[in-house]
């Protein structure tokens, strides 16, 4: 609620969403999109109900996946029996509005996105994709979007700074942002 009240851009919230009432509460606070991972992957009918009640543009499916396309849930601790292709099909069938692809092995490494994973996902769905996990810098953002990603996500890229990787909130300057738009 505090973040939604202070932020003047679209916000997506995720974590622990397992009931329609959770989505209702989250959106009532001013959050535009709700990311669903474990409960939706393990119970695909939940995606059906969520999209039916709140619309495709509100629901983001978050998928934690390895470079060998193994899908995990529960914070990467539970290997799911569905293949990545099966999960993508379920999401297409449920008219999910967006997919956040999280590369488990790349997360937090700052060694670059898993571009082969991104290529696979983009070639198997028409749903907008946001790539997450391992961004090494602006060049990764550019490559992912040139490949067709609708968005990119980066955590450590904006938190750790300098040769000692000190914690410092680091935002792109106006010149860099303008160069990304061209």
């Amino acid at each position: 609620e505090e973040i939604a009240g202070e932020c003047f851009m679209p916000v997506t919230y995720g974590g622990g969403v397992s009931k329609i009432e959770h989505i209702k509460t989250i959106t009532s606070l001013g959050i535009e999109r709700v990311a669903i991972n474990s409960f939706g992957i393990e119970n695909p009918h939940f995606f059906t109900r969520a999209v039916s009640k709140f619309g495709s543009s509100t629901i983001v499916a978050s998928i934690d996946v390895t470079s060998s396309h193994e899908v995990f849930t529960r914070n990467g601790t539970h290997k799911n029996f569905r293949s990545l292709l099966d999960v993508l099909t379920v999401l297409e069938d449920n008219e999910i509005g967006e997919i956040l692809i999280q590369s488990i092995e790349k997360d937090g490494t700052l060694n670059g996105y898993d571009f082969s994973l991104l290529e696979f996902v983009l070639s198997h769905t028409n749903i907008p994709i946001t790539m997450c996990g391992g961004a090494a810098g602006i060049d990764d953002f550019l490559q992912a979007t040139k490949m067709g990603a609708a968005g990119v996500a980066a955590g450590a890229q904006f938190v750790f700074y300098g040769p000692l990787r000190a914690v410092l909130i680091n935002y792109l300057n106006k010149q860099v942002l303008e160069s990304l738009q061209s």
Side-chain angles (χ1 to χ4, degrees):
E1 182 176 15
E2 289 177 30
I3 291 171
E6 294 290 329
C7 191
F8 300 102
M9 63 196 307
V11 175
T12 301
Y13 174 87
V17 177
S18 61
K19 296 179 182 174
I20 293 297
E21 293 77 26
H22 292 157
I23 302 170
K24 183 178 180 183
T25 299
I26 293 164
T27 57
S28 74
L29 298 173
I31 304 294
E32 289 84 359
R33 295 183 183 143
V34 178
I36 302 166
N37 182 297
S38 299
F39 195 77
I41 302 289
E42 295 171 2
N43 304 281
H45 67 279
F46 184 66
F47 283 126
T48 306
R49 291 178 51 225
V51 168
S52 174
K53 181 141 179 90
F54 298 97
S56 292
S57 63
T58 300
I59 306 302
V60 176
S62 175
I63 307 172
D64 294 335
V65 63
T66 65
S67 59
S68 58
H69 302 177
E70 295 174 307
V71 176
F72 282 76
T73 56
R74 304 179 203 176
N75 296 314
T77 63
H78 184 261
K79 184 177 174 185
N80 195 275
F81 64 90
R82 287 185 179 85
S83 71
L84 177 57
L85 192 53
D86 288 343
V87 171
L88 293 173
T89 301
V90 166
L91 299 178
E92 285 268 354
D93 291 347
N94 282 288
E95 299 178 3
I96 293 299
E98 181 181 344
I99 299 172
L100 174 70
I101 293 292
Q102 167 71 27
S103 171
I104 292 174
E105 292 116 338
K106 292 282 194 165
D107 187 34
T109 65
L110 297 163
N111 287 330
Y113 290 131
D114 184 339
F115 290 109
S116 63
L117 173 62
L118 177 60
E119 183 176 36
F120 177 86
V121 173
L122 288 168
S123 69
H124 287 90
T125 187
N126 292 314
I127 299 171
I129 302 299
T130 295
M131 189 63 196
C132 183
I138 294 169
D139 289 341
D140 280 358
F141 302 161
L142 292 171
Q143 183 175 345
T145 55
K146 283 179 182 176
M147 288 174 67
V152 292
Q157 190 60 235
F158 299 107
V159 175
F160 300 107
Y161 184 76
L164 300 177
R165 308 308 297 157
V167 176
L168 172 69
I169 300 301
N170 183 26
Y171 298 101
L172 301 176
N173 66 38
K174 184 177 178 181
Q175 181 181 6
V176 172
L177 289 173
E178 288 172 351
S179 73
L180 290 174
Q181 293 175 341
S182 58

